[in-house]
Amino acid sequence: MSSRDQILQRMRQRRGGALSTPEKDFTPLKRPEWTTEEKLARFRAAMEPVHGEIHDCRNRDWVADLAELLQSRQASTLLVGNGPEPLATLSSSAATLPELVVYDEPVASWKEHLFRNLDAGLTTTRGGIAETGSLILWPDASEPRLISLVPPIHVALLKATELYGTLSDAMAEQDWSSGMPTNALLVSGPSKTADIEQTLAYGVHGPRELIVLVIE
Amino acid sequence: MTESNLTDVRQFHPRARAAIDNPQIRQNFRRAMDGLMDKRRMAFEGWDLEALRTLGASVRQDALARLPDLLEQLEEQLTANGVRVHWAVDGDEACRIVTDICKARNARTVIKGKSMVSEEMHLNHHLQQHGIEALESDLGEYIVQLAEETPSHIIMPAIHKNTGEISELMHEKTGTDRSSDVEYLTASARQQLREKFMAADVGVSGVNFAVAETGTLCLVENEGNGRMTTTVPPCHIAVTGIEKVVPTLQDMSALLALLTRSATGQHITTYVNMVSGPRRGNELDGPDEVHVVLVDNGRSGIYQDDELIDTLRCIRCGACMNHCPVYTRVGGHAYGTTYPGPIGKILMPHLIGLDEGRHLPSASSLCGACGEVCPVKIPIPDLLVRLRQESVDGDRLHPAVVNGHGAKRDWKESLAWQTWRLIHANPLAYRLGTSVASRLRTLQPASLGAWTRYRTAPKLAARTLHQRVRERQP
Amino acid sequence: MTDTLKLYPARPEKVYFYGTCLVDLFYPDAGMAGIQLLEREGIEVIFPEQQTCCGQPAWTSGYHDEARAVARQQLNLFPEDWPIVVPSGSCGGMMRKHYPQLFRDTPEQDVANNVAQRVWELTDFLLNVCRIRLTDQGEPVTVAMHTSCSARRELGLAGTGPELLSQLGRVTVVEQARAEECCGFGGTFAVRHPEISAAMVSEKVDTLTATGAREFVTTDCGCLMNVAGYAEKQGHRLSGQHILSFLWERTREQATDEGAASP
């Protein structure tokens, strides 16, 4: 008998007999309906203490803000996805942006360059979670996984209207259970560790900085 | 990581003594555990924690009740997503599966994300024997591997070391300049490990939750090394215990809310990484191959018993050890087991047998702090008592079932308890004995073995309560 | 682990008093204090003479056959439907929580469950059933309180002792750091793992003495033996007392009619 069948059979022929399934009451996870502004305030309150930087660009040109933020960090390259947006907006902007590097080749062909030479990466998001201050990232062919992981600075665009109260809300409203992408992420701040004597240090493997630009 | 740590289980007492006598170890653990307890308390402020724990328990009970079906559903979904699913009855088989995948790809180097199951399997050792280098990438695990030690905590593997020790270690093993600057040490490790991520042929990770409905593997982490491990190498192998499956994403969200708050007092970790398949279509990164190894290694045995099955609810948050007064005093290495602390005491006997693990269930004052904080309400103290019974074959009505049961039974202790029973099951003998003891109290020995090594002996009263009550009666 | 639903009985005419073996042999004053406090509340105390030990030492050591044999002897001591009061969280916890486990699937199952439901830790009973009112007659004093883990977690009585002490006007109660942490007694744990137990009790004594109190009170004789015994052997200026002895001694002159509802 295969290991698989052996394991399954052993459990199905359990000595104690069949087990009953308890009721599951998910109300402890429920939160009140929050307005967009309340959600944004909660998002901020959750993310800022873990060193996520949030800029409200709703009434401004976010590209100009991005340019200024990257300039102040002396970033000379910005990694972006190969989809039409936000590439088109960036390309058509008059702002002084770092050199745009478009992720349009399989990683194997330019891994060295990706790991060694890029200063910042820009991604979109599939919304955010107010309660925990989390971004929902849904990498795909036009926005590969490593943009948000390898460069030392990760800038994410978050539409204020796409803020959800809780993870459960987001999962339900976006109907995650009907099928997940190859990789989905919740990102709540920059990479960090406390493995050396419980002292926080940022940027251990992923980005040292996470900047969220809240847009319309 | 070596095989020798199995035999070290029997060395619990000398190791515990050594830890207790080491002020540095004592201080490292005390400080760390105090901090973690505070953080957990604050993280649950404003929550109905009892209701949330009840939900966590019922999610896990539900998953266990339907475990074989859920595992099949998980397999089906993963397969449909392009993931290859393997099953292993024990750690050795799981190691062989991983090694075979590596060999088929001519892999020379494996980069690892944090995985307690791989520790349980002794995977690194096994890979090494087959000429495959396995490097840990979680900073704590990396430090522990440099030191050629094992993790002393399931969430914070290097918690037993302070900055000075780590600096010295990194200097010696990697040439990093000595420094007390944690940022500098972390940045150095980042650089060293990035090279390894780029070069690694295979990434091996653990799994926090495997969601059956969508075939999704959830990995919860702060550092990003888990994301690197599951994204950069062309092949990703996830190893997981068969009990880690949950029915739905909603179930996962409930456990996630409990896990990070219980473990480190975080509302959420930096990354929740949900992997549902290899690179697909025109995707430009992510592994070409994803494998999942479902490891039994004793779990289907635990599954048989109506009481012991609660052990399988565990979501590996580590809160039980953070709150354990014994763990805080002796640290994680004293146990000599993959999983230390309260969860280790109730889980390890099933993995290594009660003969090897005979000291584990007794190493608790049954204070109940572990059960009180457990996010899925595992009745840890009750399970400890059950395993104590099993280790001495102490209950004829409920015969012991755990492998190696009865190993601790010895005639001297049995005789002592039988004598105790003879006296206490016979009220007359009891009253006679206690009144004689009181009368002869001046002859009470000042030394009562281990008790009086640290304390004075309790003093027998001149008259027992029985006598005093009787004297009052008209 | 604690009761999700605990229904206190109405104040009864009589109670059974289960003294416990540690009180019987080492701390009979605490037992007498408990009896006198109950009597002052107008409750008749029945002390079943055939009582010995609840069986807990064998239970926690894994010798369940022996524990059952001894516990079975106790089941017959409480034939009438009166509450059973116990001056110990640990023995109270054994009878309330573990008798049902110990006698599961045995002929004594029903009587064990019945006994378990009637068991009350005595400070809990005094506070929540008798609704005792204490009038402090003693000199001003500062004490620390150590609630046993079984009282705190098994029976959910973390607040009971402090609440009783707060009725004593001239007693200042100070709380030690990590008050909820175990003192390291744990029954046979203290002799099976003496070094670990000693490491625990030494920190407990340190935190207690750091409060500045010279005295501590506790709900359980096991903790008392352990903490006071350690403090004495190591020469710390810290002495301990069972909370019942302490309450009785400070209020023994209190007139009976000050009790809430004497018959």
Side-chain angles (χ1 to χ4, degrees), chain A residues 2-8 10-17 19-31 46 50 82 103-108 111-112 114-116 129 131-134 137-141 144-152 167-168 171 176-208, chain B residues 31-32 36 39 47 51-52 55 58-59 61-62 64-69 71-72 75 87-89 93 137-140 143 156-158 162-163 166 182-183 185-186 190 193-195 197-198 213-214 216 222-225 227-228 230-232 242 247 249-251 253-254 256-257 266-280 282-287 296 300-301 303-306 309 401:
Chain A
S2 70
S3 297
R4 173 189 188 278
D5 294 345
Q6 205 177 313
I7 293 166
L8 289 173
R10 196 155 183 229
M11 288 193 286
R12 290 214 160 98
Q13 294 171 355
R14 159 170 205 284
R15 193 174 56 232
L19 293 154
S20 56
T21 54
E23 287 292 307
K24 295 184 284 191
D25 176 5
F26 285 88
T27 45
L29 299 178
K30 295 263 187 302
R31 293 294 171 267
V50 294
N82 57 60
Y103 197 148
D104 54 7
E105 293 283 325
V107 60
K111 206 189 269 179
E112 290 272 328
L114 171 65
F115 270 73
R116 295 194 204 287
I129 296 162
E131 182 181 46
T132 52
S134 309
L137 267 66
W138 214 256
D140 59 14
R145 305 180 189 192
L146 291 176
I147 301 180
S148 64
L149 184 61
V150 173
L167 172 57
S168 308
M171 292 192 312
W176 289 18
S177 57
S178 70
M180 293 289 281
T182 54
N183 187 212
L185 297 157
L186 304 179
V187 176
S188 313
S191 154
K192 64 171 180 262
T193 185
D195 273 349
I196 302 181
E197 222 179 305
Q198 292 210 288
T199 308
L200 268 178
Y202 290 89
V204 53
H205 292 291
R208 174 190 296 277
Chain B
R31 267 207 350 233
L36 287 164
K39 283 186 198 157
W47 285 76
L52 188 61
L55 172 59
S58 58
V59 164
Q61 281 173 304
D62 176 42
L64 291 172
R66 300 190 275 144
L67 188 55
D69 294 346
L71 282 166
E72 281 186 327
E75 180 184 43
W87 301 70
V89 290
E93 187 178 7
S137 65
D138 172 90
L139 181 59
I143 292 163
M156 281 145 295
N162 61 25
T163 309
I166 291 166
V182 172
E183 292 224 10
L185 295 174
T186 304
R190 173 186 169 108
L193 284 163
R194 282 214 153 193
E195 298 301 318
F197 280 122
M198 279 195 277
E213 67 171 346
T214 51
T216 301
N222 286 309
E223 295 188 359
N225 68 304
R227 286 185 65 192
M228 288 281 187
T230 58
T231 310
V232 179
I242 52 171
L249 286 162
Q250 195 188 20
D251 291 312
S253 75
L256 182 65
Q266 290 176 273
H267 297 295
I268 195 165
T269 48
T270 300
Y271 301 113
V272 177
N273 179 13
M274 291 165 275
V275 174
S276 304
R279 184 191 306 199
R280 201 183 286 162
N282 305 324
E283 288 177 8
L284 300 174
D285 55 20
D296 182 338
S300 63
Y303 192 75
Q304 304 296 313
D305 186 276
D306 284 345
I309 191 173
V401 294

Side-chain angles (χ1 to χ4, degrees), chain B residues 258-400:
Chain B
L258 282 159
L259 173 63
T260 63
R261 290 181 175 88
S262 299
T264 50
Q266 290 176 273
H267 297 295
I268 195 165
T269 48
T270 300
Y271 301 113
V272 177
N273 179 13
M274 291 165 275
V275 174
S276 304
R279 184 191 306 199
R280 201 183 286 162
N282 305 324
E283 288 177 8
L284 300 174
D285 55 20
D288 302 313
E289 257 179 51
V290 176
H291 299 261
V292 173
V293 187
L294 300 168
V295 186
D296 182 338
N297 203 29
R299 288 163 175 78
S300 63
I302 306 174
Y303 192 75
Q304 304 296 313
D305 186 276
D306 284 345
E307 190 179 12
L308 300 171
I309 191 173
D310 291 344
T311 313
L312 297 177
R313 284 189 211 166
C314 177
I315 58 172
R316 308 282 189 268
C317 70
C320 61
M321 54 197 78
N322 299 346
H323 291 75
C324 177
V326 174
Y327 177 89
T328 302
R329 301 309 185 293
V330 305
H333 284 149
Y335 299 85
T337 53
T338 305
Y339 303 94
I343 183 61
K345 288 178 216 173
I346 60 168
L347 178 60
M348 289 311 297
H350 302 286
L351 306 189
I352 60 176
L354 258 179
D355 36 3
E356 280 291 336
R358 73 183 73 176
H359 296 301
L360 295 172
S362 76
S364 163
S365 64
L366 298 179
C367 77
C370 48
E372 184 180 49
V373 297
C374 177
V376 289
K377 294 193 165 182
I378 302 174
I380 301 176
D382 287 351
L383 293 174
L384 286 167
V385 170
R386 164 70 185 270
L387 291 171
R388 290 180 183 188
Q389 184 269 103
E390 296 252 342
S391 65
V392 296
D393 276 338
D395 193 340
R396 261 167 296 197
L397 287 183
H398 305 101

Side-chain angles (χ1 to χ4, degrees), chain A residues 18-56:
Chain A
L19 293 154
S20 56
T21 54
E23 287 292 307
K24 295 184 284 191
D25 176 5
F26 285 88
T27 45
L29 299 178
K30 295 263 187 302
R31 293 294 171 267
E33 289 282 315
W34 291 316
T35 64
T36 298
E37 289 314 308
E38 282 170 340
K39 282 188 232 174
L40 187 57
R42 282 176 187 272
F43 180 85
R44 193 183 279 279
M47 191 180 256
E48 282 177 347
V50 294
H51 282 214
E53 194 176 312
I54 299 164
H55 297 272
D56 191 346

Side-chain angles (χ1 to χ4, degrees), chain B residues 13 30 34 329 362 367 372 388 394-396 413 424 430-431 452 455-456 461 468 470 472, chain C residues 24-25 29 39 49-50 52 60 64-65 68 153 178 181 192-193 197 203 226 229 232-234:
Chain B
H13 276 116
R30 178 87 257 180
D34 279 352
R329 301 309 185 293
S362 76
C367 77
E372 184 180 49
R388 290 180 183 188
D395 193 340
R396 261 167 296 197
E413 191 173 351
H424 292 82
Y430 172 83
R431 286 200 301 278
T452 45
R455 310 164 192 81
T456 55
R468 290 180 57 180
R470 186 181 267 207
R472 297 172 84 222
Chain C
D24 193 23
L25 272 169
D29 285 345
E39 286 174 345
E49 201 179 23
Q50 307 292 74
T52 61
T60 55
H64 293 187
D65 290 329
R68 199 177 288 116
R153 300 199 179 91
R178 302 187 197 102
E181 194 171 84
R192 285 187 211 276
H193 300 278
S197 174
E203 284 184 45
N226 183 41
E232 187 179 43
K233 177 118 178 175
Q234 312 296 330

